[in-house]
Amino acid sequence: MSLRTFAQDLPHLNFRSFVEALRRDNDLVSVTREVDPHLEVAAITRRVCETAGKAPLFENVKGAKNGFFRCFGAPASLRKDPAQRYGRLARHLALEPTASMKEILDKILSVAHAPPIEPNVVDTGSCKENKIFGDDIDLTAIPAPLVHKSDGGKYIQTYGMHIVQSPDGKWTNWSVARAMVDGKRHLVGAVKTGKDCKWALALGVPPAAIVAASMPIPDGVSEAGYVGALTGTALDLVKCETNDLLVPANSEIVMEGTLSITETAPEGPYGEYHGYVFLGDAVPCPRYHVDCITHRDNAILPVSASGRLTDETHTVSGTVAAAEIGQLCKDAGLPIKDAFPPFEGQMTWVALQVDGEKLRAMNTNSKDFSKRVGDLVFRSKPGYVIHRLILVGDDIDVYDGKDVMWAFSTRSRPGTDETFYEDVRGFEIIPYMSHGSASKDTGGKVVSDALLPIEYTTGRDWEAADFEHSYTEEVKAKVLANWESDGFD
């Protein structure tokens, strides 16, 4: 086995290997009884997300035939062990499962300005082990999951990536967007291309590829090259059977065909990552015509049961958007040390940790600084999905939701410490946009300054009233040394 072939089988570059890595981590439950894709698969997955349980591998899915397919739920949700809370996401990026969120985001951003490592195009791959063409395809007969009871249909695509080319063929884009079964040979979903085009959907792809496909990478930049730079390894891609698009060669499942913007169908409703299913809320979306399906033997379909905290839509999509926002601010010379979306904000907030010393050197004030940050972020591609930026001091750990909420609720005065934006593009999926009191797609954004005025001039004049800051080192050491013998857990 060559070194390159070996690399393609590492967990961050091979979904099958990733699943086995979680098994070795004791972070997988193999469910061998028959499980129904009609709600049951997703119900187990959703409860796993809400309890930080082990990832479920459904080995015996009702309706599966000839190895097509098993299901794997909660691929990037949280672990219960605090020391490995982000272990699944870390495994996406070749990091140890004990990696902190800061280490994960630093890894993602480590190649922000690095040259891409372009993919290798190979003759074949494990995704070609089985092939189904034309009228032999029946999407209504496969065990696509019904994820929530009030969804508009069965969603085969919740954690894969769409692959389309720009109209001039010079740029290939990978993106993560849901897709619903719409008849024997059609899916319907919300990928926007501007014209009818060739299309592929790859499911069970290299985990690092899903991270890249979730990022707001600038138009014209290839996700495949970004994955290469991120992992230090050129990704193996293979040509589709019925068009010339390239897909990861070890994908579990590949669907290929055409995307039509002129032919639409109702899509939804669906339980979104903000935690709501709006009953009967279907919208016309482009249809995908499926000409061919290829898949690995005993294929695995990844399933994300999105909703309230905490699932892949929060741990992956939210964190990579925040990472890009943080990098954007740094590149613009702003004194931002770290950026993270507190999960309590349901992926609508990003907390920005401000370097106090550099802030004071700018000789600025709250209004001017807030406007400078807001003008930059809310008019950028990464800032599209985020509606509240919270500026916090460097005494606040942006990766700790309780810390962020403490600063926000006690240091940001409603009204006077807020800078509102009603003239920027809004993210229409957020419930207060799509079903709120004003425009669905414009405005509704705010910078909340949780820096007290003195932090702009001379620096903090307080200490936190907590165990860490209110007691001497001698007293703290004594308390901790006697903690268990005193009878405390």
PDB file of all heavy atoms in Angstrom, residues 205-226:
ATOM      1  N   VAL A 205     -18.925  11.316   2.909  1.00  0.00           N
ATOM      2  CA  VAL A 205     -17.685  11.785   2.290  1.00  0.00           C
ATOM      3  C   VAL A 205     -16.590  11.908   3.348  1.00  0.00           C
ATOM      4  O   VAL A 205     -16.856  11.802   4.553  1.00  0.00           O
ATOM      5  CB  VAL A 205     -17.903  13.141   1.593  1.00  0.00           C
ATOM      6  CG1 VAL A 205     -18.945  13.009   0.498  1.00  0.00           C
ATOM      7  CG2 VAL A 205     -18.304  14.223   2.591  1.00  0.00           C
ATOM      8  N   PRO A 206     -15.344  12.144   2.931  1.00  0.00           N
ATOM      9  CA  PRO A 206     -14.300  12.398   3.922  1.00  0.00           C
ATOM     10  C   PRO A 206     -14.724  13.484   4.909  1.00  0.00           C
ATOM     11  O   PRO A 206     -15.161  14.567   4.498  1.00  0.00           O
ATOM     12  CB  PRO A 206     -13.116  12.861   3.057  1.00  0.00           C
ATOM     13  CG  PRO A 206     -13.326  12.156   1.750  1.00  0.00           C
ATOM     14  CD  PRO A 206     -14.817  12.141   1.558  1.00  0.00           C
ATOM     15  N   PRO A 207     -14.630  13.216   6.208  1.00  0.00           N
ATOM     16  CA  PRO A 207     -15.109  14.198   7.187  1.00  0.00           C
ATOM     17  C   PRO A 207     -14.503  15.594   7.025  1.00  0.00           C
ATOM     18  O   PRO A 207     -15.197  16.598   7.220  1.00  0.00           O
ATOM     19  CB  PRO A 207     -14.719  13.561   8.526  1.00  0.00           C
ATOM     20  CG  PRO A 207     -14.804  12.090   8.254  1.00  0.00           C
ATOM     21  CD  PRO A 207     -14.276  11.930   6.868  1.00  0.00           C
ATOM     22  N   ALA A 208     -13.235  15.682   6.652  1.00  0.00           N
ATOM     23  CA  ALA A 208     -12.636  16.998   6.436  1.00  0.00           C
ATOM     24  C   ALA A 208     -13.316  17.735   5.291  1.00  0.00           C
ATOM     25  O   ALA A 208     -13.366  18.971   5.283  1.00  0.00           O
ATOM     26  CB  ALA A 208     -11.134  16.856   6.148  1.00  0.00           C
ATOM     27  N   ALA A 209     -13.855  16.984   4.326  1.00  0.00           N
ATOM     28  CA  ALA A 209     -14.546  17.612   3.196  1.00  0.00           C
ATOM     29  C   ALA A 209     -15.855  18.247   3.636  1.00  0.00           C
ATOM     30  O   ALA A 209     -16.251  19.302   3.120  1.00  0.00           O
ATOM     31  CB  ALA A 209     -14.788  16.582   2.093  1.00  0.00           C
ATOM     32  N   ILE A 210     -16.552  17.609   4.577  1.00  0.00           N
ATOM     33  CA  ILE A 210     -17.797  18.188   5.085  1.00  0.00           C
ATOM     34  C   ILE A 210     -17.513  19.518   5.798  1.00  0.00           C
ATOM     35  O   ILE A 210     -18.274  20.484   5.681  1.00  0.00           O
ATOM     36  CB  ILE A 210     -18.507  17.207   6.027  1.00  0.00           C
ATOM     37  CG1 ILE A 210     -19.346  16.229   5.208  1.00  0.00           C
ATOM     38  CG2 ILE A 210     -19.412  17.910   7.021  1.00  0.00           C
ATOM     39  CD1 ILE A 210     -20.579  16.835   4.556  1.00  0.00           C
ATOM     40  N   VAL A 211     -16.417  19.580   6.543  1.00  0.00           N
ATOM     41  CA  VAL A 211     -16.056  20.835   7.201  1.00  0.00           C
ATOM     42  C   VAL A 211     -15.833  21.922   6.161  1.00  0.00           C
ATOM     43  O   VAL A 211     -16.353  23.044   6.275  1.00  0.00           O
ATOM     44  CB  VAL A 211     -14.806  20.642   8.077  1.00  0.00           C
ATOM     45  CG1 VAL A 211     -14.338  21.979   8.636  1.00  0.00           C
ATOM     46  CG2 VAL A 211     -15.093  19.672   9.223  1.00  0.00           C
ATOM     47  N   ALA A 212     -15.077  21.598   5.108  1.00  0.00           N
ATOM     48  CA  ALA A 212     -14.805  22.580   4.057  1.00  0.00           C
ATOM     49  C   ALA A 212     -16.084  22.987   3.337  1.00  0.00           C
ATOM     50  O   ALA A 212     -16.290  24.167   3.040  1.00  0.00           O
ATOM     51  CB  ALA A 212     -13.798  22.017   3.057  1.00  0.00           C
ATOM     52  N   ALA A 213     -16.965  22.021   3.057  1.00  0.00           N
ATOM     53  CA  ALA A 213     -18.207  22.318   2.347  1.00  0.00           C
ATOM     54  C   ALA A 213     -19.145  23.178   3.182  1.00  0.00           C
ATOM     55  O   ALA A 213     -20.027  23.851   2.637  1.00  0.00           O
ATOM     56  CB  ALA A 213     -18.904  21.019   1.942  1.00  0.00           C
ATOM     57  N   SER A 214     -18.967  23.168   4.501  1.00  0.00           N
ATOM     58  CA  SER A 214     -19.800  23.975   5.404  1.00  0.00           C
ATOM     59  C   SER A 214     -19.278  25.388   5.566  1.00  0.00           C
ATOM     60  O   SER A 214     -19.968  26.238   6.132  1.00  0.00           O
ATOM     61  CB  SER A 214     -19.858  23.310   6.789  1.00  0.00           C
ATOM     62  OG  SER A 214     -20.389  22.002   6.713  1.00  0.00           O
ATOM     63  N   MET A 215     -18.068  25.654   5.089  1.00  0.00           N
ATOM     64  CA  MET A 215     -17.451  26.952   5.307  1.00  0.00           C
ATOM     65  C   MET A 215     -17.858  27.956   4.236  1.00  0.00           C
ATOM     66  O   MET A 215     -18.053  27.581   3.076  1.00  0.00           O
ATOM     67  CB  MET A 215     -15.919  26.817   5.312  1.00  0.00           C
ATOM     68  CG  MET A 215     -15.382  26.006   6.468  1.00  0.00           C
ATOM     69  SD  MET A 215     -13.570  25.955   6.497  1.00  0.00           S
ATOM     70  CE  MET A 215     -13.199  27.648   6.935  1.00  0.00           C
ATOM     71  N   PRO A 216     -17.959  29.214   4.610  1.00  0.00           N
ATOM     72  CA  PRO A 216     -18.234  30.262   3.619  1.00  0.00           C
ATOM     73  C   PRO A 216     -16.961  30.652   2.872  1.00  0.00           C
ATOM     74  O   PRO A 216     -16.486  31.788   2.925  1.00  0.00           O
ATOM     75  CB  PRO A 216     -18.775  31.410   4.480  1.00  0.00           C
ATOM     76  CG  PRO A 216     -18.123  31.219   5.813  1.00  0.00           C
ATOM     77  CD  PRO A 216     -17.963  29.730   5.992  1.00  0.00           C
ATOM     78  N   ILE A 217     -16.393  29.675   2.175  1.00  0.00           N
ATOM     79  CA  ILE A 217     -15.157  29.916   1.423  1.00  0.00           C
ATOM     80  C   ILE A 217     -15.455  30.878   0.276  1.00  0.00           C
ATOM     81  O   ILE A 217     -16.514  30.787  -0.357  1.00  0.00           O
ATOM     82  CB  ILE A 217     -14.601  28.571   0.891  1.00  0.00           C
ATOM     83  CG1 ILE A 217     -14.110  27.723   2.062  1.00  0.00           C
ATOM     84  CG2 ILE A 217     -13.471  28.790  -0.109  1.00  0.00           C
ATOM     85  CD1 ILE A 217     -13.663  26.334   1.671  1.00  0.00           C
ATOM     86  N   PRO A 218     -14.550  31.791  -0.030  1.00  0.00           N
ATOM     87  CA  PRO A 218     -14.818  32.764  -1.101  1.00  0.00           C
ATOM     88  C   PRO A 218     -15.128  32.089  -2.442  1.00  0.00           C
ATOM     89  O   PRO A 218     -14.584  31.026  -2.757  1.00  0.00           O
ATOM     90  CB  PRO A 218     -13.504  33.566  -1.184  1.00  0.00           C
ATOM     91  CG  PRO A 218     -12.871  33.399   0.149  1.00  0.00           C
ATOM     92  CD  PRO A 218     -13.248  32.034   0.625  1.00  0.00           C
ATOM     93  N   ASP A 219     -16.028  32.700  -3.210  1.00  0.00           N
ATOM     94  CA  ASP A 219     -16.336  32.201  -4.547  1.00  0.00           C
ATOM     95  C   ASP A 219     -15.045  32.094  -5.354  1.00  0.00           C
ATOM     96  O   ASP A 219     -14.184  32.974  -5.309  1.00  0.00           O
ATOM     97  CB  ASP A 219     -17.312  33.139  -5.257  1.00  0.00           C
ATOM     98  CG  ASP A 219     -18.692  33.116  -4.626  1.00  0.00           C
ATOM     99  OD1 ASP A 219     -18.938  32.240  -3.783  1.00  0.00           O
ATOM    100  OD2 ASP A 219     -19.520  33.991  -4.965  1.00  0.00           O
ATOM    101  N   GLY A 220     -14.935  31.016  -6.099  1.00  0.00           N
ATOM    102  CA  GLY A 220     -13.758  30.809  -6.929  1.00  0.00           C
ATOM    103  C   GLY A 220     -12.706  29.936  -6.279  1.00  0.00           C
ATOM    104  O   GLY A 220     -11.784  29.476  -6.949  1.00  0.00           O
ATOM    105  N   VAL A 221     -12.825  29.683  -4.967  1.00  0.00           N
ATOM    106  CA  VAL A 221     -11.885  28.820  -4.261  1.00  0.00           C
ATOM    107  C   VAL A 221     -12.467  27.409  -4.204  1.00  0.00           C
ATOM    108  O   VAL A 221     -13.612  27.208  -3.811  1.00  0.00           O
ATOM    109  CB  VAL A 221     -11.611  29.335  -2.833  1.00  0.00           C
ATOM    110  CG1 VAL A 221     -10.705  28.371  -2.075  1.00  0.00           C
ATOM    111  CG2 VAL A 221     -10.985  30.716  -2.888  1.00  0.00           C
ATOM    112  N   SER A 222     -11.696  26.426  -4.598  1.00  0.00           N
ATOM    113  CA  SER A 222     -12.141  25.045  -4.615  1.00  0.00           C
ATOM    114  C   SER A 222     -12.050  24.431  -3.221  1.00  0.00           C
ATOM    115  O   SER A 222     -11.007  24.486  -2.577  1.00  0.00           O
ATOM    116  CB  SER A 222     -11.276  24.234  -5.589  1.00  0.00           C
ATOM    117  OG  SER A 222     -11.341  22.857  -5.312  1.00  0.00           O
ATOM    118  N   GLU A 223     -13.152  23.831  -2.762  1.00  0.00           N
ATOM    119  CA  GLU A 223     -13.131  23.142  -1.475  1.00  0.00           C
ATOM    120  C   GLU A 223     -12.159  21.965  -1.495  1.00  0.00           C
ATOM    121  O   GLU A 223     -11.544  21.640  -0.480  1.00  0.00           O
ATOM    122  CB  GLU A 223     -14.532  22.661  -1.097  1.00  0.00           C
ATOM    123  CG  GLU A 223     -15.461  23.730  -0.559  1.00  0.00           C
ATOM    124  CD  GLU A 223     -16.164  24.518  -1.641  1.00  0.00           C
ATOM    125  OE1 GLU A 223     -15.956  24.210  -2.836  1.00  0.00           O
ATOM    126  OE2 GLU A 223     -16.920  25.441  -1.302  1.00  0.00           O
ATOM    127  N   ALA A 224     -12.031  21.298  -2.648  1.00  0.00           N
ATOM    128  CA  ALA A 224     -11.111  20.156  -2.736  1.00  0.00           C
ATOM    129  C   ALA A 224      -9.678  20.595  -2.460  1.00  0.00           C
ATOM    130  O   ALA A 224      -8.930  19.930  -1.735  1.00  0.00           O
ATOM    131  CB  ALA A 224     -11.215  19.504  -4.112  1.00  0.00           C
ATOM    132  N   GLY A 225      -9.266  21.730  -3.032  1.00  0.00           N
ATOM    133  CA  GLY A 225      -7.928  22.251  -2.777  1.00  0.00           C
ATOM    134  C   GLY A 225      -7.763  22.694  -1.345  1.00  0.00           C
ATOM    135  O   GLY A 225      -6.681  22.545  -0.753  1.00  0.00           O
ATOM    136  N   TYR A 226      -8.837  23.230  -0.750  1.00  0.00           N
ATOM    137  CA  TYR A 226      -8.798  23.656   0.651  1.00  0.00           C
ATOM    138  C   TYR A 226      -8.613  22.449   1.558  1.00  0.00           C
ATOM    139  O   TYR A 226      -7.833  22.490   2.514  1.00  0.00           O
ATOM    140  CB  TYR A 226     -10.077  24.405   1.000  1.00  0.00           C
ATOM    141  CG  TYR A 226     -10.056  25.046   2.365  1.00  0.00           C
ATOM    142  CD1 TYR A 226      -9.629  26.358   2.534  1.00  0.00           C
ATOM    143  CD2 TYR A 226     -10.457  24.343   3.498  1.00  0.00           C
ATOM    144  CE1 TYR A 226      -9.597  26.945   3.785  1.00  0.00           C
ATOM    145  CE2 TYR A 226     -10.434  24.921   4.754  1.00  0.00           C
ATOM    146  CZ  TYR A 226     -10.005  26.225   4.891  1.00  0.00           C
ATOM    147  OH  TYR A 226      -9.963  26.802   6.143  1.00  0.00           O
TER     148      TYR A 226
END
